[in-house]
Each structure stands twice: as structure tokens, then as C-alpha cells.
């Protein structure tokens, strides 16, 4: 596979100066996720060949216009006297990295893996010099044979966001408390990411297989997330050799809608909710889906506000910086609406890849939107596990039964 050639790093500033002295403090949900970050890669297959650097120049101009509307993006991170992060808005701009790869974007996607894909995302650890650290970088990689990759990695707080009530909010708060007790450092074991694409028919089949029946013989509908999360929860538990029950899992859920926030809200709105695997067998997809559905249903506005209040009252700094703990993480990223990021000439992304870093604990499941054309229920599932476990997962009989397309994996032919 062609290597990524880095051309230069530059600063892109807003064309409109910001108001002097403007400060934007980060919320408690931002701060508690301080050391986690999100890496995203958008791939575009453009029809018209361009001169080297032409697309990058055009994007630079576009970013300049965008920064005028979002001055907080151009700021720099600072700590308050209490040690909390805030953003000082100024005209420092954001960092932009320009890179180039031989061949076409289609050739790249046929052979890409986790290690190579992350080379398209620029990342620097600069906590000791935070004032000079841009809130995010943008890496623009042009494929000389045609195509483009745009990668904006985010420090996790900056996304692409009581008496009588303790029983109600225990499930969310329990994850944060147990994370302190069970947190594990990043493993030296090589992590591998596999990405599987499920079309609408496959997802509907999974929903039918996982559908539960109540005492009145009614069949409550499951969402694609609930069904796919149950599928991979049970299969990953199997490859991990669980003898009784499933590995404990924490659902990472977007609560913008729950809190009545617009999609454009700038900040972290993801919360964790722990689901315990005791009493669920690896073949009991229906029961696993029911546990997940119940956990999702319990995340209402009161639950989230109680969690925020608890985090603010407790000293959140005494809790792990990475809230993954020892659990398997399953993140619902269906609402990202990634494929609406249209480039020029109505060019939608060919593919969008997500990584939540660092990868610790038992592994990660990211359930993502799928490109248009396969129906509203189609989904992409990205799984990060130790390499040996990832290989076993691709060979799992139940996953093979659904026949997903392998976008990234150790073996691209599911037989």
C-alpha cells in the first residue's frame, strides 16, 4: 500500500476577528472525558482529476469562511484557577496538515487497515503546552490518482458533547463509580479494527431474530442499534471465552435529543450506561437485546440531569480519565449523519470511519450510519478487539449467517 507523504502543516485563521476576551467554559460532560478523543476520516471519490494541491487550497478557503461562524473553534485551551478546561477565543486559528498518497482512493480502501487509516488523522499530545494547542487539527490527504480524505480529530470534549432519585439514576452513575474500581491501563496487546456493513435486509433479519415477546404476545419493535448491539455483545463474549453470562458492557449514548439540544450543539453529549451480562447466555440474543433496550429507555432527561449534578457534586477529577474501565464499550453513533457532509458537485462521502481513543478495556463496538442507497435500516459496525479475538469474530457462524460486507478486516471473504 502507498505511504502517506506529509507536505506541510499550516495555520488557517478566520476572516472575521473574534470579540476580545470571549471565554467558553467546558461542561462537566466535556471535562470528565478529558483524555478521550475522537478520530474521524471522510473519504470522497471525486470524478474530476485536479492539479496537485488544488483541492487542498479550496478547502483551506472554505475552512476560513467556516471559522468566521464558529469563533470558539479558533480558540486555545486554558485551565482555570480551579484546574478546569476552558477555551479562550482568539484569532489563533486551527492547524491544517496537508498530505498526499499515490494511487486512487478506491485502491486505498481495498487494502486499508486500522494502522494505515490512522495515518490519515494528525494527532499531537500537547497537554504540557496547552495554550499553543489548537482545539483540533484538520488533515487533508489528496490521492494522486483521484479522491480525497478529510480527517478532523477532536479532543473528546470538542465533538464532530439527590435524595429520592438515587434508585432512578443508579444505572448511569454506577458506570462512573465502577470505572474507578475496575479501570485498566491501555493494553500492550495489538488492537485490530474490523468494519462490517449490514444492508437493510440483514439488519431486519437481525431485528427479527432478536425480537422479544411479552406476556401479551405483543412484539415490541427493536431499533437497529439495539439488535446489532445485542448481536455483537453475545458474539464478542463468546470469542472471549465467557463461560457463564456475557462480558459487562457500557452503552455510550447520545443525549442531545433527550436534553432538547440542536444537532449543532458544540460539546460532548455522550453518556455511559452500564449493562451487566449476568444471567445471559451467548445464544440468547433476545434476552441480550431486551437488556439493551431497557438500558436505553432509562436514559431520560431526569436521569441525565441527575448524572450531571452528581458529577458536579462529586470530585470528578478523582475518577478515571478514560471512562471505559474494564467494560466492553458499545457506542451509538447513528445520529452522526456523516453522509450529509457533501463535497462539491454533490459528492457524498464514499465512507466515513470513526475511532474513539485510547482503546482500553474489553474492546469497542461503534454502530454507525451507512451510505445511502441501502435503506434507512442499513448500518456499519466497527469493532476494535485484540487481533486474535477479532479473527475469531470474523469466523463466528452467526455473523457469517447475516453475510455482511467486510470493509476492513483480517479476511475480506466471509464464506
Amino acid at each position: 500500500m502507498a505511504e502517506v507523504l506529509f507536505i506541510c502543516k499550516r495555520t488557517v485563521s478566520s476572516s472575521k476577528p473574534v470579540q476580545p476576551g470571549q471565554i467558553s467554559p467546558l461542561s462537566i460532560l466535556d471535562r470528565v472525558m478529558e483524555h478521550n478523543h475522537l478520530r474521524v476520516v471522510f473519504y470522497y471519490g471525486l470524478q474530476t482529476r485536479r492539479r496537485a494541491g488544488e483541492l487542498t487550497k479550496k478547502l483551506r478557503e472554505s475552512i476560513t469562511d467556516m471559522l468566521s461562524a464558529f469563533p470558539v473553534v479558533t480558540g486555545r485551551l486554558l485551565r482555570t484557577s480551579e484546574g478546569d478546561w476552558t477555551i479562550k477565543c482568539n484569532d489563533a486559528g486551527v492547524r491544517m496538515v496537508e498530505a498526499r498518497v499515490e494511487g486512487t482512493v478506491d485502491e486505498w480502501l481495498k487494502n486499508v487497515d486500522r494502522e494505515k487509516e490512522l495515518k490519515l488523522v494528525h494527532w499531537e499530545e500537547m497537554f504540557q503546552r496547552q495554550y499553543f494547542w489548537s482545539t483540533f487539527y484538520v488533515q487533508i490527504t489528496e490521492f494522486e490518482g483521484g479522491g480525497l480524505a478529510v480527517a478532523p480529530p477532536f479532543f473528546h470534549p470538542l465533538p464532530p458533547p439527590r435524595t429520592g432519585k438515587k434508585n432512578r439514576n443508579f444505572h448511569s452513575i454506577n458506570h462512573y463509580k465502577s470505572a474507578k474500581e475496575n479501570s485498566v491501563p491501555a493494553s500492550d496487546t495489538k488492537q485490530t479494527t474490523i468494519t462490517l456493513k449490514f444492508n437493510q435486509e440483514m439488519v431486519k433479519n437481525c431485528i427479527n431474530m432478536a425480537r422479544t415477546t411479552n406476556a401479551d404476545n405483543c412484539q415490541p419493535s427493536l431499533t437497529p442499534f439495539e439488535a446489532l448491539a445485542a448481536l455483537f455483545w453475545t458474539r464478542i463474549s463468546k470469542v472471549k471465552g465467557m463461560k457463564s453470562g456475557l462480558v459487562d458492557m457500557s452503552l455510550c449514548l447520545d443525549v442531545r435529543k433527550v436534553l432538547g439540544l440542536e444537532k449543532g450543539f458544540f460539546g460532548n453529549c455522550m453518556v455511559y450506561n452500564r449493562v451487566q451480562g449476568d444471567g445471559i447466555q451467548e445464544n440468547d440474543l433476545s434476552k441480550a437485546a431486551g437488556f439493551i433496550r431497557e438500558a436505553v429507555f432509562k436514559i431520560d432527561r431526569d436521569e441525565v440531569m441527575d448524572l450531571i449534578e452528581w458529577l458536579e457534586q462529586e470530585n470528578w477529577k478523582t475518577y478515571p480519565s478514560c471512562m471505559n474501565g474494564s467494560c466492553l464499550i458499545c457506542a451509538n453513533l447513528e445520529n452522526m449523519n456523516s453522509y450529509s457532509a457533501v463535497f462539491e458537485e454533490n459528492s457524498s462521502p464514499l465512507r466515513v470511519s470513526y475511532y474513539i481513543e485510547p482503546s482500553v478495556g474489553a474492546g469497542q463496538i461503534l454502530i454507525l450510519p451507512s451510505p445511502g442507497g441501502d435503506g434507512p435500516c442499513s448500518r456499519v459496525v466497527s469493532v476494535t478487539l485484540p487481533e486474535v479475538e477479532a479473527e475469531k469474530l470474523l469466523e463466528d457462524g452467526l455473523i457469517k449467517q447475516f453475510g455482511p460486507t467486510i470493509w476492513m478486516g483480517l479476511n475480506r471473504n466471509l464464506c
Side-chain angles (χ1 to χ4, degrees):
M1 175 178 285
E3 294 297 320
V4 178
L5 174 64
F6 294 96
I7 307 299
C8 68
K9 182 194 299 183
R10 62 177 85 229
T11 298
V12 183
S13 300
S14 169
S15 59
K16 179 181 178 181
V18 300
Q19 182 179 353
Q22 183 176 346
I23 298 292
S24 294
L26 302 185
S27 74
I28 188 65
L29 290 181
D30 293 325
R31 285 176 276 146
V32 79
M33 297 301 295
E34 177 178 323
H35 293 289
N36 288 41
H37 56 272
L38 184 66
R39 305 188 190 187
V40 190
V41 184
F42 293 80
Y43 292 101
Y44 294 89
L46 305 177
Q47 300 299 319
T48 305
R49 291 283 298 275
R50 314 297 173 87
R51 296 188 305 273
E54 182 180 347
L55 288 172
T56 302
K57 179 181 179 182
K58 187 170 184 177
L59 278 168
R60 226 170 30 236
E61 296 169 350
S62 176
I63 291 172
T64 295
D65 293 337
M66 180 274 293
L67 294 178
S68 301
F70 297 94
V72 68
V73 176
T74 68
R76 292 295 182 265
L77 288 162
L78 293 174
R79 286 196 185 273
T80 65
S81 57
E82 291 78 23
D84 297 330
W85 284 112
T86 187
I87 300 176
K88 180 179 180 180
C89 301
N90 53 29
D91 296 317
V94 300
R95 305 282 193 244
M96 180 173 173
V97 176
E98 299 176 15
R100 200 165 297 156
V101 176
E102 294 180 356
T104 67
V105 66
D106 291 328
E107 291 169 344
W108 173 273
L109 290 173
K110 286 178 182 178
N111 299 288
V112 71
D113 59 20
R114 173 190 175 88
E115 182 179 355
K116 292 180 174 66
E117 189 161 59
L118 287 176
K119 291 181 180 179
L120 301 181
V121 190
H122 184 81
W123 181 259
E124 290 184 7
E125 298 287 353
M126 296 183 67
F127 290 103
Q128 301 305 316
R129 296 185 296 137
Q130 62 265 22
Y131 185 77
F132 300 99
W133 190 34
S134 176
T135 52
F136 68 88
Y137 283 78
V138 178
Q139 180 172 326
I140 310 297
T141 305
E142 291 190 46
F143 293 87
E144 295 179 352
L148 183 73
V150 181
F154 295 100
F155 172 55
H156 197 88
L158 306 172
R162 308 186 209 210
T163 304
K165 295 186 178 179
K166 288 189 182 260
N167 288 335
R168 187 168 68 237
N169 65 30
F170 172 79
H171 296 274
S172 290
I173 291 174
N174 181 53
H175 174 74
Y176 291 85
K177 289 181 176 178
S178 60
K180 180 180 180 181
E181 300 166 359
N182 301 317
S183 60
V184 294
S187 173
D188 292 332
T189 304
K190 182 179 179 181
Q191 299 289 306
T192 298
T193 297
I194 58 177
T195 305
L196 307 177
K197 182 174 178 291
F198 290 76
N199 63 28
Q200 176 151 301
E201 183 180 356
M202 296 172 191
V203 175
K204 286 185 175 180
N205 288 339
C206 185
I207 290 173
N208 289 334
M209 185 178 293
R211 185 171 291 162
T212 58
T213 304
N214 63 22
D216 299 323
N217 202 33
C218 296
Q219 294 184 321
S221 61
L222 291 169
T223 66
F225 169 76
E226 292 162 355
L228 290 171
L231 173 65
F232 281 88
W233 187 19
T234 58
R235 301 348 286 156
I236 290 174
S237 295
K238 179 181 178 181
V239 302
K240 286 183 176 294
M242 299 295 293
K243 300 301 182 182
S244 59
L246 306 181
V247 60
D248 285 352
M249 183 169 70
S250 285
L251 303 178
C252 185
L253 305 172
D254 184 352
V255 294
R256 294 170 195 266
K257 186 176 180 180
V258 171
L259 296 178
L261 297 172
E262 298 290 336
K263 287 186 176 181
F265 172 78
F266 191 76
N268 175 41
C269 269
M270 305 294 288
V271 300
Y272 286 103
N273 196 0
R274 189 180 184 118
V275 185
Q276 294 183 326
D278 295 340
I280 309 176
Q281 300 304 312
E282 66 180 43
N283 294 321
D284 198 345
L285 194 62
S286 176
K287 190 171 184 179
F291 275 43
I292 292 169
R293 181 180 177 84
E294 181 181 5
V296 172
F297 181 77
K298 285 182 177 178
I299 298 294
D300 56 17
R301 181 179 176 84
D302 287 342
E303 175 91 2
V304 176
M305 295 308 296
D306 287 347
L307 173 60
I308 291 172
E309 181 181 339
W310 180 83
L311 288 170
E312 289 177 337
Q313 290 177 351
E314 298 288 328
N315 184 1
W316 64 270
K317 296 171 189 174
T318 64
Y319 287 79
S321 57
C322 299
M323 300 308 297
N324 297 356
S326 58
C327 287
L328 176 67
I329 299 297
C330 183
N332 185 351
L333 302 181
E334 294 175 319
N335 294 328
M336 289 296 186
N337 203 20
S338 309
Y339 293 92
S340 66
V342 176
F343 199 63
E344 61 178 14
E345 301 171 358
N346 298 320
S347 295
S348 298
L350 293 173
R351 187 184 303 182
V352 182
S353 299
Y354 286 83
Y355 295 90
I356 297 178
E357 297 290 321
S359 178
V360 299
Q364 292 179 0
I365 308 165
L366 308 183
I367 298 181
L368 308 161
S370 178
D374 283 342
C377 287
S378 60
R379 294 291 184 271
V380 172
V381 181
S382 179
V383 180
T384 299
L385 291 169
E387 191 172 276
V388 173
E389 295 178 3
E391 186 173 0
K392 291 180 180 179
L393 186 65
L394 283 176
E395 294 300 319
D396 182 81
L398 187 55
I399 290 180
K400 282 187 175 183
Q401 181 177 327
F402 290 106
T405 302
I406 302 179
W407 272 5
M408 182 189 297
L410 304 171
N411 179 0
R412 291 182 173 274
N413 297 312
L414 278 180
C415 300

